[in-house]
Amino acid sequence: MKKNKMTVAVEKDADGSYIAYNIDDSDYTLIGRGDCSSKAKADFEKSMQEVAESEKQRTGRVPDMLLQKPTYKFDLASLFEYYSMLNVSAFARFVGINSALMRQYKQGNTYISDKQLIKIEEGIHRLGEEFTSLKLV
């Protein structure tokens, strides 16, 4: 059974631009491009709208997955570009990774193991949990 929601990868391309493309098993192959990750995401969502309009004209209905906000998966370069308020070095210290190595990961200059990727993702989730539980005085 197919999902009702697209899963989209957002990555920094070799030419320095950003690309967003669905990686799910849907009947559609959509792509968004931009000079930053937010523009690539916006272009992808525009592609979704265009296909939704086309499907409505063609069949009289729009598939649910074209109406749902996609789930996004970022590579590290796109993640730190999109969430530019995150300081790469400070985040590296937070998760216990060498700052210089994290900057290399961000630039795409070095291989990142699955173990390190999991450590970074768990750190992002931990940071999110801390933010959602804090109160200001």
Side-chain angles (χ1 to χ4, degrees):
M1 176 179 247
K2 293 187 180 185
K3 296 182 192 177
N4 285 338
K5 194 178 209 183
M6 284 193 180
T7 302
V8 179
V10 181
E11 299 176 354
K12 187 172 184 179
D13 214 347
D15 66 359
S17 67
Y18 293 83
I19 184 168
Y21 57 95
N22 61 308
I23 55 174
D24 49 50
D25 63 348
S26 76
D27 294 332
Y28 307 97
T29 301
L30 303 176
I31 296 174
R33 286 191 125 345
D35 59 3
C36 64
S37 53
S38 60
K39 287 183 181 177
K41 276 182 62 179
D43 192 43
F44 182 87
E45 290 174 4
K46 182 180 177 187
S47 294
M48 284 180 67
Q49 290 173 335
E50 290 170 351
V51 171
E53 290 169 11
S54 175
E55 286 295 302
K56 186 168 183 164
Q57 289 176 356
R58 191 174 69 81
T59 66
R61 64 176 207 73
V62 178
D64 285 343
M65 77 173 354
L66 294 172
L67 299 172
Q68 302 294 320
K69 185 162 182 68
T71 298
Y72 290 98
K73 295 185 173 191
F74 291 86
D75 69 357
L76 284 180
S78 299
L79 175 83
F80 283 111
E81 191 277 331
Y82 188 78
Y83 294 101
S84 60
M85 73 291 292
L86 290 176
N87 177 288
V88 177
S89 296
F91 182 75
R93 286 189 301 275
F94 178 75
V95 297
I97 294 176
N98 177 283
S99 298
L101 182 59
M102 183 69 88
R103 285 190 297 276
Q104 289 177 11
Y105 290 157
K106 177 189 175 210
Q107 294 300 320
N109 294 338
T110 191
Y111 169 77
I112 181 168
S113 69
D114 289 341
K115 182 179 176 182
Q116 287 285 72
L117 204 54
I118 290 168
K119 187 175 188 177
I120 293 166
E121 188 172 300
E122 287 173 348
I124 291 167
H125 294 170
R126 190 172 80 237
L127 182 61
E129 289 170 4
E130 287 185 24
F131 271 121
T132 58
S133 67
L134 73 81
K135 302 289 183 208
L136 299 176
V137 294

PDB file of all heavy atoms in Angstrom, residues 6-12 18-24 30-33 37 40-41 44 70-75 78:
ATOM      1  N   MET A   6       4.365  12.318   0.500  1.00  0.00           N
ATOM      2  CA  MET A   6       5.636  12.164  -0.195  1.00  0.00           C
ATOM      3  C   MET A   6       6.790  12.308   0.790  1.00  0.00           C
ATOM      4  O   MET A   6       6.707  13.061   1.754  1.00  0.00           O
ATOM      5  CB  MET A   6       5.793  13.213  -1.286  1.00  0.00           C
ATOM      6  CG  MET A   6       4.981  12.939  -2.507  1.00  0.00           C
ATOM      7  SD  MET A   6       5.522  13.992  -3.863  1.00  0.00           S
ATOM      8  CE  MET A   6       4.395  13.414  -5.120  1.00  0.00           C
ATOM      9  N   THR A   7       7.867  11.600   0.511  1.00  0.00           N
ATOM     10  CA  THR A   7       9.113  11.762   1.236  1.00  0.00           C
ATOM     11  C   THR A   7      10.102  12.397   0.270  1.00  0.00           C
ATOM     12  O   THR A   7      10.288  11.902  -0.848  1.00  0.00           O
ATOM     13  CB  THR A   7       9.642  10.407   1.735  1.00  0.00           C
ATOM     14  OG1 THR A   7       8.652   9.807   2.571  1.00  0.00           O
ATOM     15  CG2 THR A   7      10.929  10.578   2.524  1.00  0.00           C
ATOM     16  N   VAL A   8      10.695  13.494   0.707  1.00  0.00           N
ATOM     17  CA  VAL A   8      11.523  14.306  -0.180  1.00  0.00           C
ATOM     18  C   VAL A   8      12.927  14.462   0.388  1.00  0.00           C
ATOM     19  O   VAL A   8      13.092  14.826   1.552  1.00  0.00           O
ATOM     20  CB  VAL A   8      10.886  15.704  -0.366  1.00  0.00           C
ATOM     21  CG1 VAL A   8      11.741  16.583  -1.269  1.00  0.00           C
ATOM     22  CG2 VAL A   8       9.474  15.579  -0.927  1.00  0.00           C
ATOM     23  N   ALA A   9      13.923  14.183  -0.432  1.00  0.00           N
ATOM     24  CA  ALA A   9      15.319  14.425  -0.067  1.00  0.00           C
ATOM     25  C   ALA A   9      15.693  15.827  -0.521  1.00  0.00           C
ATOM     26  O   ALA A   9      15.349  16.236  -1.634  1.00  0.00           O
ATOM     27  CB  ALA A   9      16.229  13.404  -0.739  1.00  0.00           C
ATOM     28  N   VAL A  10      16.374  16.558   0.348  1.00  0.00           N
ATOM     29  CA  VAL A  10      16.904  17.876   0.015  1.00  0.00           C
ATOM     30  C   VAL A  10      18.416  17.770   0.155  1.00  0.00           C
ATOM     31  O   VAL A  10      18.920  17.422   1.220  1.00  0.00           O
ATOM     32  CB  VAL A  10      16.357  18.975   0.947  1.00  0.00           C
ATOM     33  CG1 VAL A  10      16.919  20.340   0.557  1.00  0.00           C
ATOM     34  CG2 VAL A  10      14.836  18.994   0.936  1.00  0.00           C
ATOM     35  N   GLU A  11      19.123  18.048  -0.941  1.00  0.00           N
ATOM     36  CA  GLU A  11      20.569  17.857  -0.955  1.00  0.00           C
ATOM     37  C   GLU A  11      21.262  18.999  -1.669  1.00  0.00           C
ATOM     38  O   GLU A  11      20.693  19.619  -2.572  1.00  0.00           O
ATOM     39  CB  GLU A  11      20.928  16.556  -1.681  1.00  0.00           C
ATOM     40  CG  GLU A  11      20.355  15.319  -1.038  1.00  0.00           C
ATOM     41  CD  GLU A  11      20.640  14.055  -1.824  1.00  0.00           C
ATOM     42  OE1 GLU A  11      21.194  14.139  -2.952  1.00  0.00           O
ATOM     43  OE2 GLU A  11      20.318  12.972  -1.328  1.00  0.00           O
ATOM     44  N   LYS A  12      22.497  19.228  -1.252  1.00  0.00           N
ATOM     45  CA  LYS A  12      23.341  20.183  -1.966  1.00  0.00           C
ATOM     46  C   LYS A  12      23.925  19.446  -3.158  1.00  0.00           C
ATOM     47  O   LYS A  12      24.494  18.360  -3.016  1.00  0.00           O
ATOM     48  CB  LYS A  12      24.446  20.711  -1.057  1.00  0.00           C
ATOM     49  CG  LYS A  12      25.244  21.825  -1.702  1.00  0.00           C
ATOM     50  CD  LYS A  12      26.200  22.455  -0.706  1.00  0.00           C
ATOM     51  CE  LYS A  12      26.913  23.632  -1.343  1.00  0.00           C
ATOM     52  NZ  LYS A  12      27.826  24.262  -0.367  1.00  0.00           N
ATOM     53  N   TYR A  18      20.903  23.592  -4.830  1.00  0.00           N
ATOM     54  CA  TYR A  18      20.194  22.613  -3.995  1.00  0.00           C
ATOM     55  C   TYR A  18      19.092  21.965  -4.812  1.00  0.00           C
ATOM     56  O   TYR A  18      18.497  22.593  -5.696  1.00  0.00           O
ATOM     57  CB  TYR A  18      19.625  23.296  -2.750  1.00  0.00           C
ATOM     58  CG  TYR A  18      20.723  23.763  -1.826  1.00  0.00           C
ATOM     59  CD1 TYR A  18      21.364  24.966  -2.036  1.00  0.00           C
ATOM     60  CD2 TYR A  18      21.143  22.967  -0.766  1.00  0.00           C
ATOM     61  CE1 TYR A  18      22.398  25.378  -1.205  1.00  0.00           C
ATOM     62  CE2 TYR A  18      22.170  23.373   0.066  1.00  0.00           C
ATOM     63  CZ  TYR A  18      22.791  24.579  -0.162  1.00  0.00           C
ATOM     64  OH  TYR A  18      23.811  24.971   0.658  1.00  0.00           O
ATOM     65  N   ILE A  19      18.854  20.709  -4.510  1.00  0.00           N
ATOM     66  CA  ILE A  19      17.831  19.947  -5.216  1.00  0.00           C
ATOM     67  C   ILE A  19      16.932  19.253  -4.192  1.00  0.00           C
ATOM     68  O   ILE A  19      17.405  18.788  -3.158  1.00  0.00           O
ATOM     69  CB  ILE A  19      18.473  18.924  -6.187  1.00  0.00           C
ATOM     70  CG1 ILE A  19      17.406  18.198  -7.003  1.00  0.00           C
ATOM     71  CG2 ILE A  19      19.386  17.968  -5.460  1.00  0.00           C
ATOM     72  CD1 ILE A  19      17.961  17.394  -8.169  1.00  0.00           C
ATOM     73  N   ALA A  20      15.647  19.233  -4.473  1.00  0.00           N
ATOM     74  CA  ALA A  20      14.668  18.513  -3.665  1.00  0.00           C
ATOM     75  C   ALA A  20      13.947  17.560  -4.604  1.00  0.00           C
ATOM     76  O   ALA A  20      13.477  17.968  -5.672  1.00  0.00           O
ATOM     77  CB  ALA A  20      13.685  19.485  -3.022  1.00  0.00           C
ATOM     78  N   TYR A  21      13.869  16.294  -4.229  1.00  0.00           N
ATOM     79  CA  TYR A  21      13.217  15.310  -5.089  1.00  0.00           C
ATOM     80  C   TYR A  21      12.595  14.223  -4.228  1.00  0.00           C
ATOM     81  O   TYR A  21      13.119  13.895  -3.160  1.00  0.00           O
ATOM     82  CB  TYR A  21      14.211  14.698  -6.091  1.00  0.00           C
ATOM     83  CG  TYR A  21      15.403  14.041  -5.443  1.00  0.00           C
ATOM     84  CD1 TYR A  21      15.416  12.673  -5.195  1.00  0.00           C
ATOM     85  CD2 TYR A  21      16.507  14.794  -5.069  1.00  0.00           C
ATOM     86  CE1 TYR A  21      16.504  12.071  -4.598  1.00  0.00           C
ATOM     87  CE2 TYR A  21      17.602  14.197  -4.456  1.00  0.00           C
ATOM     88  CZ  TYR A  21      17.593  12.841  -4.224  1.00  0.00           C
ATOM     89  OH  TYR A  21      18.671  12.237  -3.622  1.00  0.00           O
ATOM     90  N   ASN A  22      11.475  13.697  -4.700  1.00  0.00           N
ATOM     91  CA  ASN A  22      10.820  12.664  -3.888  1.00  0.00           C
ATOM     92  C   ASN A  22      11.528  11.324  -4.040  1.00  0.00           C
ATOM     93  O   ASN A  22      12.013  10.976  -5.112  1.00  0.00           O
ATOM     94  CB  ASN A  22       9.321  12.565  -4.186  1.00  0.00           C
ATOM     95  CG  ASN A  22       8.985  12.207  -5.604  1.00  0.00           C
ATOM     96  OD1 ASN A  22       9.468  12.839  -6.542  1.00  0.00           O
ATOM     97  ND2 ASN A  22       8.138  11.214  -5.769  1.00  0.00           N
ATOM     98  N   ILE A  23      11.588  10.621  -2.896  1.00  0.00           N
ATOM     99  CA  ILE A  23      12.299   9.347  -2.832  1.00  0.00           C
ATOM    100  C   ILE A  23      11.356   8.223  -2.406  1.00  0.00           C
ATOM    101  O   ILE A  23      11.791   7.181  -1.949  1.00  0.00           O
ATOM    102  CB  ILE A  23      13.510   9.435  -1.878  1.00  0.00           C
ATOM    103  CG1 ILE A  23      13.088   9.909  -0.487  1.00  0.00           C
ATOM    104  CG2 ILE A  23      14.590  10.324  -2.459  1.00  0.00           C
ATOM    105  CD1 ILE A  23      14.197   9.876   0.555  1.00  0.00           C
ATOM    106  N   ASP A  24      10.079   8.454  -2.562  1.00  0.00           N
ATOM    107  CA  ASP A  24       9.086   7.463  -2.161  1.00  0.00           C
ATOM    108  C   ASP A  24       8.675   6.622  -3.361  1.00  0.00           C
ATOM    109  O   ASP A  24       9.228   6.762  -4.447  1.00  0.00           O
ATOM    110  CB  ASP A  24       7.865   8.168  -1.543  1.00  0.00           C
ATOM    111  CG  ASP A  24       7.391   9.304  -2.430  1.00  0.00           C
ATOM    112  OD1 ASP A  24       7.212   9.096  -3.649  1.00  0.00           O
ATOM    113  OD2 ASP A  24       7.200  10.418  -1.912  1.00  0.00           O
ATOM    114  N   LEU A  30       9.000  14.114  -8.895  1.00  0.00           N
ATOM    115  CA  LEU A  30       9.004  15.571  -8.869  1.00  0.00           C
ATOM    116  C   LEU A  30      10.367  16.068  -8.413  1.00  0.00           C
ATOM    117  O   LEU A  30      11.045  15.417  -7.624  1.00  0.00           O
ATOM    118  CB  LEU A  30       7.925  16.091  -7.925  1.00  0.00           C
ATOM    119  CG  LEU A  30       6.499  15.621  -8.239  1.00  0.00           C
ATOM    120  CD1 LEU A  30       5.531  16.119  -7.171  1.00  0.00           C
ATOM    121  CD2 LEU A  30       6.069  16.097  -9.603  1.00  0.00           C
ATOM    122  N   ILE A  31      10.727  17.256  -8.901  1.00  0.00           N
ATOM    123  CA  ILE A  31      12.018  17.847  -8.570  1.00  0.00           C
ATOM    124  C   ILE A  31      11.832  19.340  -8.337  1.00  0.00           C
ATOM    125  O   ILE A  31      11.056  19.993  -9.028  1.00  0.00           O
ATOM    126  CB  ILE A  31      13.036  17.621  -9.715  1.00  0.00           C
ATOM    127  CG1 ILE A  31      13.320  16.134  -9.885  1.00  0.00           C
ATOM    128  CG2 ILE A  31      14.331  18.386  -9.469  1.00  0.00           C
ATOM    129  CD1 ILE A  31      14.198  15.801 -11.083  1.00  0.00           C
ATOM    130  N   GLY A  32      12.579  19.848  -7.364  1.00  0.00           N
ATOM    131  CA  GLY A  32      12.661  21.284  -7.142  1.00  0.00           C
ATOM    132  C   GLY A  32      14.129  21.668  -7.078  1.00  0.00           C
ATOM    133  O   GLY A  32      14.958  20.900  -6.592  1.00  0.00           O
ATOM    134  N   ARG A  33      14.442  22.843  -7.582  1.00  0.00           N
ATOM    135  CA  ARG A  33      15.829  23.311  -7.575  1.00  0.00           C
ATOM    136  C   ARG A  33      15.869  24.739  -7.078  1.00  0.00           C
ATOM    137  O   ARG A  33      14.899  25.478  -7.210  1.00  0.00           O
ATOM    138  CB  ARG A  33      16.431  23.253  -8.973  1.00  0.00           C
ATOM    139  CG  ARG A  33      16.758  21.829  -9.421  1.00  0.00           C
ATOM    140  CD  ARG A  33      17.580  21.847 -10.675  1.00  0.00           C
ATOM    141  NE  ARG A  33      18.829  21.218 -10.834  1.00  0.00           N
ATOM    142  CZ  ARG A  33      19.686  20.716  -9.969  1.00  0.00           C
ATOM    143  NH1 ARG A  33      19.456  20.778  -8.723  1.00  0.00           N
ATOM    144  NH2 ARG A  33      20.815  20.156 -10.318  1.00  0.00           N
ATOM    145  N   SER A  37      18.433  25.848   0.017  1.00  0.00           N
ATOM    146  CA  SER A  37      17.539  24.721   0.281  1.00  0.00           C
ATOM    147  C   SER A  37      16.081  25.152   0.380  1.00  0.00           C
ATOM    148  O   SER A  37      15.191  24.426  -0.060  1.00  0.00           O
ATOM    149  CB  SER A  37      17.980  23.974   1.542  1.00  0.00           C
ATOM    150  OG  SER A  37      18.105  24.851   2.619  1.00  0.00           O
ATOM    151  N   ALA A  40      14.731  25.397  -3.095  1.00  0.00           N
ATOM    152  CA  ALA A  40      14.530  24.063  -3.674  1.00  0.00           C
ATOM    153  C   ALA A  40      13.254  23.445  -3.124  1.00  0.00           C
ATOM    154  O   ALA A  40      12.472  22.848  -3.871  1.00  0.00           O
ATOM    155  CB  ALA A  40      15.734  23.166  -3.391  1.00  0.00           C
ATOM    156  N   LYS A  41      13.016  23.594  -1.808  1.00  0.00           N
ATOM    157  CA  LYS A  41      11.778  23.089  -1.203  1.00  0.00           C
ATOM    158  C   LYS A  41      10.564  23.785  -1.806  1.00  0.00           C
ATOM    159  O   LYS A  41       9.567  23.137  -2.153  1.00  0.00           O
ATOM    160  CB  LYS A  41      11.785  23.317   0.308  1.00  0.00           C
ATOM    161  CG  LYS A  41      12.504  22.274   1.109  1.00  0.00           C
ATOM    162  CD  LYS A  41      12.410  22.547   2.589  1.00  0.00           C
ATOM    163  CE  LYS A  41      10.972  22.523   3.060  1.00  0.00           C
ATOM    164  NZ  LYS A  41      10.787  22.766   4.480  1.00  0.00           N
ATOM    165  N   PHE A  44       9.940  22.543  -5.235  1.00  0.00           N
ATOM    166  CA  PHE A  44       9.354  21.209  -5.178  1.00  0.00           C
ATOM    167  C   PHE A  44       7.848  21.304  -4.887  1.00  0.00           C
ATOM    168  O   PHE A  44       7.034  20.653  -5.541  1.00  0.00           O
ATOM    169  CB  PHE A  44      10.036  20.339  -4.117  1.00  0.00           C
ATOM    170  CG  PHE A  44       9.478  18.946  -4.077  1.00  0.00           C
ATOM    171  CD1 PHE A  44       9.985  17.969  -4.909  1.00  0.00           C
ATOM    172  CD2 PHE A  44       8.410  18.624  -3.257  1.00  0.00           C
ATOM    173  CE1 PHE A  44       9.448  16.692  -4.917  1.00  0.00           C
ATOM    174  CE2 PHE A  44       7.870  17.352  -3.243  1.00  0.00           C
ATOM    175  CZ  PHE A  44       8.385  16.382  -4.081  1.00  0.00           C
ATOM    176  N   PRO A  70       4.846  17.293   2.457  1.00  0.00           N
ATOM    177  CA  PRO A  70       5.799  16.178   2.422  1.00  0.00           C
ATOM    178  C   PRO A  70       6.625  16.066   3.698  1.00  0.00           C
ATOM    179  O   PRO A  70       6.747  17.017   4.469  1.00  0.00           O
ATOM    180  CB  PRO A  70       6.724  16.527   1.248  1.00  0.00           C
ATOM    181  CG  PRO A  70       6.119  17.665   0.547  1.00  0.00           C
ATOM    182  CD  PRO A  70       5.167  18.319   1.481  1.00  0.00           C
ATOM    183  N   THR A  71       7.227  14.908   3.886  1.00  0.00           N
ATOM    184  CA  THR A  71       8.238  14.699   4.911  1.00  0.00           C
ATOM    185  C   THR A  71       9.575  14.975   4.235  1.00  0.00           C
ATOM    186  O   THR A  71       9.858  14.418   3.177  1.00  0.00           O
ATOM    187  CB  THR A  71       8.198  13.245   5.415  1.00  0.00           C
ATOM    188  OG1 THR A  71       6.931  13.008   6.010  1.00  0.00           O
ATOM    189  CG2 THR A  71       9.299  12.986   6.423  1.00  0.00           C
ATOM    190  N   TYR A  72      10.384  15.831   4.850  1.00  0.00           N
ATOM    191  CA  TYR A  72      11.667  16.189   4.262  1.00  0.00           C
ATOM    192  C   TYR A  72      12.809  15.501   4.979  1.00  0.00           C
ATOM    193  O   TYR A  72      12.816  15.388   6.199  1.00  0.00           O
ATOM    194  CB  TYR A  72      11.878  17.710   4.301  1.00  0.00           C
ATOM    195  CG  TYR A  72      10.967  18.436   3.350  1.00  0.00           C
ATOM    196  CD1 TYR A  72       9.789  19.013   3.791  1.00  0.00           C
ATOM    197  CD2 TYR A  72      11.281  18.516   1.998  1.00  0.00           C
ATOM    198  CE1 TYR A  72       8.948  19.673   2.903  1.00  0.00           C
ATOM    199  CE2 TYR A  72      10.439  19.163   1.108  1.00  0.00           C
ATOM    200  CZ  TYR A  72       9.277  19.745   1.568  1.00  0.00           C
ATOM    201  OH  TYR A  72       8.453  20.385   0.693  1.00  0.00           O
ATOM    202  N   LYS A  73      13.791  15.052   4.186  1.00  0.00           N
ATOM    203  CA  LYS A  73      15.036  14.479   4.699  1.00  0.00           C
ATOM    204  C   LYS A  73      16.172  15.301   4.093  1.00  0.00           C
ATOM    205  O   LYS A  73      16.223  15.470   2.877  1.00  0.00           O
ATOM    206  CB  LYS A  73      15.160  13.011   4.292  1.00  0.00           C
ATOM    207  CG  LYS A  73      14.108  12.124   4.908  1.00  0.00           C
ATOM    208  CD  LYS A  73      14.357  10.681   4.564  1.00  0.00           C
ATOM    209  CE  LYS A  73      13.385   9.799   5.337  1.00  0.00           C
ATOM    210  NZ  LYS A  73      13.749   8.390   5.248  1.00  0.00           N
ATOM    211  N   PHE A  74      17.042  15.812   4.963  1.00  0.00           N
ATOM    212  CA  PHE A  74      18.120  16.691   4.526  1.00  0.00           C
ATOM    213  C   PHE A  74      19.473  15.995   4.588  1.00  0.00           C
ATOM    214  O   PHE A  74      19.716  15.214   5.502  1.00  0.00           O
ATOM    215  CB  PHE A  74      18.219  17.908   5.464  1.00  0.00           C
ATOM    216  CG  PHE A  74      17.075  18.868   5.369  1.00  0.00           C
ATOM    217  CD1 PHE A  74      15.917  18.670   6.099  1.00  0.00           C
ATOM    218  CD2 PHE A  74      17.177  19.995   4.571  1.00  0.00           C
ATOM    219  CE1 PHE A  74      14.863  19.570   6.030  1.00  0.00           C
ATOM    220  CE2 PHE A  74      16.137  20.900   4.501  1.00  0.00           C
ATOM    221  CZ  PHE A  74      14.979  20.687   5.225  1.00  0.00           C
ATOM    222  N   ASP A  75      20.360  16.329   3.643  1.00  0.00           N
ATOM    223  CA  ASP A  75      21.757  15.998   3.856  1.00  0.00           C
ATOM    224  C   ASP A  75      22.306  17.093   4.774  1.00  0.00           C
ATOM    225  O   ASP A  75      21.633  18.089   5.048  1.00  0.00           O
ATOM    226  CB  ASP A  75      22.525  15.860   2.541  1.00  0.00           C
ATOM    227  CG  ASP A  75      22.736  17.163   1.775  1.00  0.00           C
ATOM    228  OD1 ASP A  75      22.234  18.226   2.203  1.00  0.00           O
ATOM    229  OD2 ASP A  75      23.409  17.127   0.734  1.00  0.00           O
ATOM    230  N   SER A  78      22.541  20.756   3.374  1.00  0.00           N
ATOM    231  CA  SER A  78      21.215  21.377   3.250  1.00  0.00           C
ATOM    232  C   SER A  78      20.617  21.683   4.610  1.00  0.00           C
ATOM    233  O   SER A  78      19.977  22.711   4.795  1.00  0.00           O
ATOM    234  CB  SER A  78      20.269  20.466   2.470  1.00  0.00           C
ATOM    235  OG  SER A  78      20.761  20.259   1.174  1.00  0.00           O
TER     236      SER A  78
END
